[in-house]
Structure formats: C-alpha cells, structure tokens
C-alpha cells in the first residue's frame, strides 16, 4: 500500500476511531451477539445474523485503519506556502461569481466537505495542486468549468 499523508489532526482522529472500534464498539457488538444468541435457535435468528454482520464490518474497519495508520506519513507543519500542496489551506475567488471560498487539501481519509476539507484526489483538489499564489486555475467538472484565482495559501 502506498504512503498516506495525514495532518496531525487527521492522524489523531484515525487513532481515536481505531481505539473506539477496538474497545467500546467490540464490547457492544459482543454483548448484542450474546443477547441474540440467548433468544434461542441461531439458524433462523435475524438479530443474531445482523449482530454478526456488524461485528464483521467492525473488524474490517479496524483492519483498514491499522493498515492506513501503518503506512501513514504525518505532514510537517513547515511545508512551504509558496504553492498548493497537501495540507494547504487555500483561499480562492470564483472568477465567475466573485464568491470567495476556502478549502484545506487533505488525503482522501481526512476529506470532509462540511469542514471544507477536500481530497487531493477530487477534481478540485487535484487541479489546485502545485499552483502558486495569484494564479488562475480552470477546473473541469461534470457541471462545467470552474474558474478560480488563488488568493492565499496557508497551513492550519
């Protein structure tokens, strides 16, 4: 698996999720399986099957997180602000509407649209990479073409 670049916050968030899944969630699922098993014949017990499926999904997510964290590289806070790189907070001006937007470019594992964190693998994120301050960027998306000017590049 290739290296995954994470911010310190993103790395911490994945560690916390892993800890939760390995402790609290595992106990909850084990208890649910025990309760369902107590209801009798497990061969026709939908509650038992659902609990076992949830347990399998939990273990799968634990394995994914362990693999990601094992190949994670923590981004240095001292990365240049001369160009847009992963971990950068970018202030943009939409050249069509005049609206100003701000995004932080992160790995897919940290992407969260509600927090304005977009993946470097997304159309907008990948198009912004390696551009410099004051440059204009045209980004082709399914709905058309976005035109932005980079107003500011900073770090969180």
């Amino acid at each position: 698996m290739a290296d995954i670049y994470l911010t310190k916050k993103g790395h911490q968030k994945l560690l916390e999720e892993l800890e939760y899944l390995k402790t609290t969630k595992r106990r909850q699922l084990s208890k649910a399986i025990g309760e369902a098993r107590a209801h009798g014949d497990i061969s026709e017990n939908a509650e038992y099957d659902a609990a076992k499926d949830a347990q399998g999904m939990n273990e799968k997510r634990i394995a994914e997180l362990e693999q990601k964290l094992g190949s994670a590289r923590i981004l240095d806070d001292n990365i240049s602000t001369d160009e847009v790189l992963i971990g950068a907070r970018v202030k943009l001006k939409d050249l069509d509407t005049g609206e100003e937007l701000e995004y932080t470019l992160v790995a897919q594992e940290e992407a969260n649209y509600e927090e304005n964190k977009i993946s470097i693998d997304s159309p907008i994120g990948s198009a912004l990479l390696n551009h410099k301050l004051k440059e204009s960027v045209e980004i082709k998306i399914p709905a058309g073409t976005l035109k932005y000017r980079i107003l500011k590049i900073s770090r969180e």
Side-chain angles (χ1 to χ4, degrees), residues 126-140:
S126 64
L128 290 172
L129 281 176
N130 303 315
H131 282 280
K132 297 185 181 336
L133 193 63
K134 306 289 184 210
E135 282 187 357
S136 294
V137 182
E138 287 193 11
I139 305 167
K140 301 225 181 298

Side-chain angles (χ1 to χ4, degrees), residues 17-78:
E17 180 184 355
L18 179 61
E19 183 64 21
Y20 168 77
L21 294 176
K22 288 174 99 174
T23 56
T24 307
K25 189 73 172 174
R26 269 186 178 159
R27 280 194 300 274
Q28 290 171 348
L29 292 170
S30 181
K31 184 178 178 191
I33 290 169
E35 289 172 0
R37 189 179 282 141
H39 291 235
D41 183 9
I42 59 173
S43 65
E44 294 180 19
N45 187 331
E47 202 176 309
Y48 177 80
D49 290 341
K52 287 298 278 184
D53 287 346
Q55 183 184 44
M57 296 299 287
N58 189 59
E59 294 305 316
K60 181 180 179 205
R61 180 67 179 153
I62 288 170
E64 287 173 1
L65 287 172
E66 287 175 338
Q67 187 175 17
K68 286 176 183 177
L69 289 166
S71 61
R73 300 283 176 259
I74 310 301
L75 294 172
D76 185 350
D77 291 334
N78 300 321

Side-chain angles (χ1 to χ4, degrees), residues 106-120:
V106 295
Q108 188 170 347
E109 290 72 22
E110 287 188 71
N112 183 331
Y113 191 75
E114 291 166 7
E115 295 176 6
N116 290 335
K117 292 182 176 183
I118 60 171
S119 169
I120 57 168

Side-chain angles (χ1 to χ4, degrees), residues 92 122-128 137-141 144-148:
L92 306 167
S122 70
I124 295 173
S126 64
L128 290 172
V137 182
E138 287 193 11
I139 305 167
K140 301 225 181 298
I141 60 167
T145 302
L146 301 172
K147 295 175 188 155
Y148 293 132

Side-chain angles (χ1 to χ4, degrees), residues 83-106:
E83 66 180 312
V84 179
L85 300 169
I86 187 169
R89 177 177 282 164
V90 185
K91 187 172 187 178
L92 306 167
K93 181 174 187 170
D94 186 316
L95 297 176
D96 291 330
T97 66
E99 179 185 1
E100 290 187 4
L101 314 147
E102 202 165 307
Y103 294 117
T104 301
L105 274 69
V106 295

